[in-house]
Coordinates of all heavy atoms in Angstrom, one line a residue:
L1193 N 141.2 120.3 71.8 CA 141.0 119.4 70.6 C 139.8 119.9 69.8 O 139.9 120.0 68.6 CB 140.7 118.0 71.1 CG 140.4 117.0 70.0 CD1 141.6 116.8 69.1 CD2 139.9 115.7 70.6
L1194 N 138.8 120.3 70.4 CA 137.6 120.8 69.7 C 138.0 122.1 68.9 O 137.6 122.3 67.7 CB 136.4 121.1 70.6 CG 135.2 121.6 70.0 CD1 134.6 120.6 69.0 CD2 134.1 121.9 71.1
L1195 N 138.7 123.0 69.6 CA 139.2 124.2 68.9 C 140.1 123.9 67.7 O 140.0 124.4 66.6 CB 139.9 125.1 69.9 CG 140.4 126.4 69.3 CD1 139.3 127.3 68.9 CD2 141.3 127.1 70.4
G1196 N 141.0 122.9 67.9 CA 141.9 122.5 66.8 C 141.1 121.9 65.6 O 141.4 122.1 64.5
V1197 N 140.1 121.1 65.9 CA 139.3 120.5 64.9 C 138.6 121.6 64.1 O 138.5 121.5 62.9 CB 138.3 119.4 65.4 CG1 137.3 119.0 64.4 CG2 139.1 118.2 66.0
M1198 N 138.0 122.5 64.8 CA 137.3 123.6 64.2 C 138.1 124.6 63.4 O 137.7 125.0 62.3 CB 136.4 124.3 65.2 CG 135.4 123.5 65.8 SD 134.3 122.9 64.5 CE 132.9 122.3 65.5
L1199 N 139.3 125.0 63.9 CA 140.0 126.1 63.4 C 141.4 125.8 62.9 O 141.9 126.5 62.1 CB 140.1 127.2 64.4 CG 138.8 127.8 64.9 CD1 139.0 128.8 66.0 CD2 138.0 128.4 63.8
G1200 N 142.0 124.7 63.4 CA 143.4 124.5 63.2 C 143.8 123.5 62.2 O 143.0 123.1 61.3
T1201 N 145.0 123.1 62.2 CA 145.5 122.1 61.2 C 144.9 120.8 61.4 O 144.9 120.0 60.5 CB 147.0 122.0 61.3 OG1 147.4 121.6 62.6 CG2 147.7 123.3 60.9
A1202 N 144.3 120.5 62.6 CA 143.6 119.2 62.8 C 142.4 119.1 61.9 O 142.0 118.0 61.6 CB 143.2 119.1 64.2
A1203 N 141.9 120.2 61.4 CA 140.8 120.1 60.4 C 141.2 119.5 59.1 O 140.3 119.0 58.4 CB 140.2 121.5 60.2
H1204 N 142.5 119.5 58.8 CA 142.9 118.9 57.5 C 143.3 117.4 57.7 O 143.6 116.8 56.7 CB 144.1 119.7 57.0 CG 143.8 121.1 56.8 ND1 143.0 121.6 55.7 CD2 144.1 122.2 57.5 CE1 142.9 122.9 55.8 NE2 143.5 123.3 56.9
L1205 N 143.3 116.9 58.9 CA 143.6 115.5 59.2 C 142.4 114.7 59.3 O 141.3 115.2 59.6 CB 144.4 115.4 60.5 CG 145.8 116.0 60.5 CD1 146.3 115.9 62.0 CD2 146.7 115.3 59.5
P1206 N 142.4 113.4 59.0 CA 141.3 112.6 59.2 C 140.9 112.5 60.7 O 141.8 112.7 61.6 CB 141.7 111.2 58.7 CG 142.9 111.4 57.9 CD 143.5 112.7 58.3
L1207 N 139.7 112.3 61.0 CA 139.3 112.3 62.4 C 140.0 111.2 63.2 O 140.4 111.5 64.4 CB 137.7 112.1 62.5 CG 137.2 112.1 63.9 CD1 137.4 113.4 64.6 CD2 135.7 111.8 63.9
S1208 N 140.2 110.1 62.6 CA 140.9 109.0 63.4 C 142.3 109.4 63.7 O 142.8 109.2 64.9 CB 141.0 107.7 62.6 OG 141.6 107.9 61.3
A1209 N 143.1 110.1 62.8 CA 144.4 110.6 63.1 C 144.4 111.6 64.2 O 145.3 111.7 65.1 CB 145.1 111.1 61.9
T1210 N 143.4 112.5 64.2 CA 143.3 113.5 65.3 C 143.0 112.9 66.6 O 143.6 113.3 67.6 CB 142.1 114.5 64.9 OG1 142.4 115.1 63.6 CG2 142.0 115.6 65.9
L1211 N 142.1 111.9 66.7 CA 141.8 111.2 67.9 C 143.0 110.5 68.4 O 143.3 110.4 69.7 CB 140.6 110.3 67.7 CG 139.3 111.0 67.5 CD1 138.2 110.0 67.3 CD2 139.0 112.0 68.6
I1212 N 143.8 109.8 67.6 CA 145.0 109.1 68.0 C 146.0 110.1 68.6 O 146.6 109.9 69.6 CB 145.6 108.3 66.8 CG1 144.7 107.1 66.5 CG2 147.0 107.8 67.1 CD1 145.1 106.4 65.2
A1213 N 146.2 111.2 67.9 CA 147.1 112.3 68.4 C 146.7 112.8 69.7 O 147.5 113.0 70.6 CB 147.3 113.4 67.4
A1214 N 145.4 113.0 69.9 CA 144.8 113.5 71.2 C 145.1 112.5 72.3 O 145.4 112.8 73.4 CB 143.4 113.8 71.0
A1215 N 144.9 111.2 72.0 CA 145.1 110.1 73.0 C 146.6 110.1 73.4 O 146.9 109.9 74.5 CB 144.7 108.8 72.4
V1216 N 147.5 110.2 72.4 CA 148.9 110.2 72.7 C 149.3 111.4 73.6 O 150.0 111.3 74.6 CB 149.8 110.3 71.4 CG1 151.2 110.5 71.7 CG2 149.6 108.9 70.7
I1217 N 148.8 112.6 73.3 CA 149.1 113.8 74.1 C 148.5 113.6 75.5 O 149.1 114.0 76.5 CB 148.5 115.0 73.4 CG1 149.3 115.3 72.1 CG2 148.6 116.3 74.3 CD1 148.8 116.4 71.2
A1218 N 147.2 113.1 75.6 CA 146.6 112.9 76.9 C 147.4 111.9 77.7 O 147.6 112.1 78.9 CB 145.2 112.5 76.7

Side-chain angles (χ1 to χ4, degrees):
L1193 177 64
L1194 182 61
L1195 181 65
V1197 168
M1198 293 301 196
L1199 300 175
T1201 58
H1204 301 286
L1205 294 175
L1207 181 61
S1208 59
T1210 303
L1211 293 177
I1212 290 170
V1216 169
I1217 292 170

